[in-house]
Amino acid sequence: MKKIRKKYQWIDIGEDARRQYIDAQATFTAWEDARKAASEVRGGMYWKRQGETEYLIRTSPGNAQKSIGPRSEKTEQIYRNFTARKAEAEQRLADLTSALERQQRMNRALFVGRAPRILIDILNKLVKVGLSEYFTVIGTHSLYAYEAAAGVGFGEAAALATQDIDLLLDTRKRLSFITQMTTMGTSMLKLIQKVDPTFRIRDDQKYTAVNSKGFEVDIIRREPKDGDPHPLRLTDEDDEFYAVPARNAGLLLDGPRFSAMIIATTGHMARMNTISPAAFVRFKRWMAEQPDRDPMKRQRDILQANMVEELIVEYLPHLQQ
């Protein structure tokens, strides 16, 4: 891979890798649609006799049951439509899963991805359990989404140097989040431990879980407002995250969003939902101006803000707003 020299150093991933990203993205987005369609027909339907009458029963993935009505021309049609739709959705998802695995191998062969595998796995876990809508990735890991969309790589190693992922919890959806967690009967920590069982909540930072390799997951929230509880514990489980208030995080929560498929060095793919590149630049410049900001972090804030600003101008001009 050759270097492109502007004010900063950019890595040209090459035409083969760019074409592969486009192909992989097409498969990935089709797979996302297929997964959504398959989720809508999870569970099943069957006929159950009660006395002299048969009833159509709809079952949920958790085996909850609901009667659709007695057997009739209408319920028989509902049953036929559901079973046909379910079979078609499951077959399409299976086919696209196989296609996705082939794209993963191609990604790895052509060195398309740069994101750490742990990041991909965490994002995919949030999607799988239906929690991705409650979290926005902020901080350094957002850069992987920006460079993926631009088709180049950040050439300054210091810009990407981090061992933690910051997840901004949308407290405006807190009640829905609690309902979802209660339905699953688990905690946020336990979900993260399904990605890596060595994650543990830090004694000195209840908003941080760290694994045996030093990678951290931080749960961030906006400063309390509009009746937000404080402190905010994500669930009532014994060992669980607290979400830490962060200054100005409300601006990120209310600001424009950005979404991109990112790829790990292993070729695995995930969707990252983050803040817009322009919002990232503004926030990083604000952070660098804070008098209590650690000098080492301030230098990285400025570097990241400058590089993302140049990335927008050179490669993503439609995102300058």
Side-chain angles (χ1 to χ4, degrees):
M1 292 185 290
K2 66 181 180 180
K3 304 276 183 164
I4 311 167
R5 192 65 192 180
K6 295 184 175 14
K7 180 179 178 181
Y8 290 100
Q9 205 169 49
W10 303 96
I11 298 174
D12 182 359
I13 64 174
E15 288 303 319
D16 288 344
R18 271 191 283 274
R19 282 193 295 268
Q20 172 56 30
Y21 179 88
I22 293 170
D23 290 344
Q25 185 180 44
T27 302
F28 181 80
T29 53
W31 175 80
E32 286 181 309
D33 290 341
R35 182 182 57 193
K36 183 175 183 291
S39 71
E40 293 171 355
V41 288
R42 292 178 64 200
M45 283 187 180
Y46 72 98
W47 297 102
K48 181 178 181 181
R49 177 171 292 278
Q50 291 183 336
E52 298 298 318
T53 306
E54 279 189 312
Y55 292 87
L56 180 59
I57 305 298
R58 175 76 159 93
T59 61
S60 72
N63 205 33
Q65 300 186 359
K66 178 183 178 181
S67 176
I68 304 299
R71 190 159 200 157
S72 65
E73 184 176 336
K74 180 180 178 180
T75 53
E76 286 181 351
Q77 186 62 50
I78 291 173
Y79 177 77
R80 287 193 294 269
N81 289 345
F82 176 83
T83 53
R85 183 181 169 203
K86 183 179 177 68
E88 180 183 357
E90 290 179 345
Q91 184 60 57
R92 180 171 174 78
L93 180 60
D95 292 344
L96 282 166
T97 298
S98 296
L100 199 68
E101 291 170 352
R102 291 194 294 273
Q103 294 293 351
Q104 174 190 316
R105 293 192 290 271
M106 290 297 295
N107 290 340
R108 184 171 183 175
L110 293 172
F111 303 101
V112 179
R114 300 212 301 163
R117 174 68 186 275
I118 186 73
L119 172 62
I120 300 293
D121 290 345
I122 289 172
L123 294 178
N124 282 332
K125 173 57 70 175
L126 292 177
V127 170
K128 185 176 181 180
V129 299
L131 294 180
S132 60
E133 67 175 289
Y134 301 106
F135 293 98
T136 301
V137 176
I138 60 174
T140 298
H141 278 107
S142 301
L143 300 183
Y144 289 111
Y146 306 152
E147 69 173 18
V152 297
F154 289 97
E156 306 286 342
L160 289 166
T162 187
Q163 270 287 89
D164 70 288
I165 177 175
D166 295 327
L167 297 176
L168 175 62
L169 174 66
D170 191 344
T171 53
R172 300 168 303 184
K173 301 177 180 178
R174 182 177 59 86
L175 294 180
S176 175
F177 174 80
I178 292 172
T179 299
Q180 178 82 350
M181 296 299 290
T182 301
T183 300
M184 290 190 291
T186 188
S187 69
M188 189 67 185
L189 177 63
K190 288 177 181 176
L191 290 175
I192 297 298
Q193 287 175 334
K194 289 183 179 180
V195 174
D196 183 338
T198 68
F199 273 111
R200 298 289 184 273
I201 298 290
R202 285 182 51 168
D203 291 336
D204 59 335
Q205 290 183 188
K206 295 299 185 181
Y207 60 88
T208 301
V210 58
N211 70 2
S212 59
K213 296 181 180 178
F215 188 87
E216 295 182 339
V217 176
D218 294 335
I219 307 295
I220 314 296
R221 56 175 288 192
R222 69 180 180 183
E223 294 171 296
K225 61 179 293 188
D226 300 333
D228 289 345
H230 183 68
L232 175 56
R233 190 177 185 180
L234 270 60
T235 69
D236 292 330
E237 294 287 323
D238 291 338
D239 198 11
E240 180 59 300
F241 284 96
Y242 281 81
V244 62
R247 285 178 295 176
N248 245 2
L251 293 178
L252 300 180
L253 203 59
D254 296 332
R257 292 290 190 270
F258 183 80
S259 180
M261 182 192 76
I262 63 171
I263 304 177
T265 53
T266 58
H268 293 81
M269 292 159 275
R271 178 164 299 282
M272 178 183 285
N273 296 314
T274 183
I275 59 176
S276 73
F280 179 94
V281 172
R282 288 192 295 269
F283 191 75
K284 283 292 181 176
R285 294 210 188 286
W286 174 83
M287 289 183 69
E289 293 170 356
Q290 302 310 298
D292 58 346
R293 185 66 166 163
D294 179 277
M296 295 293 290
K297 292 183 178 179
R298 180 182 294 116
Q299 291 178 23
R300 190 176 66 175
D301 292 338
I302 295 171
L303 172 64
Q304 291 177 340
N306 289 342
M307 291 197 72
V308 173
E309 189 169 60
E310 184 173 299
L311 184 81
I312 296 170
V313 172
E314 295 291 339
Y315 302 102
L316 304 170
H318 60 291
L319 298 177
Q320 292 189 61
Q321 295 294 328

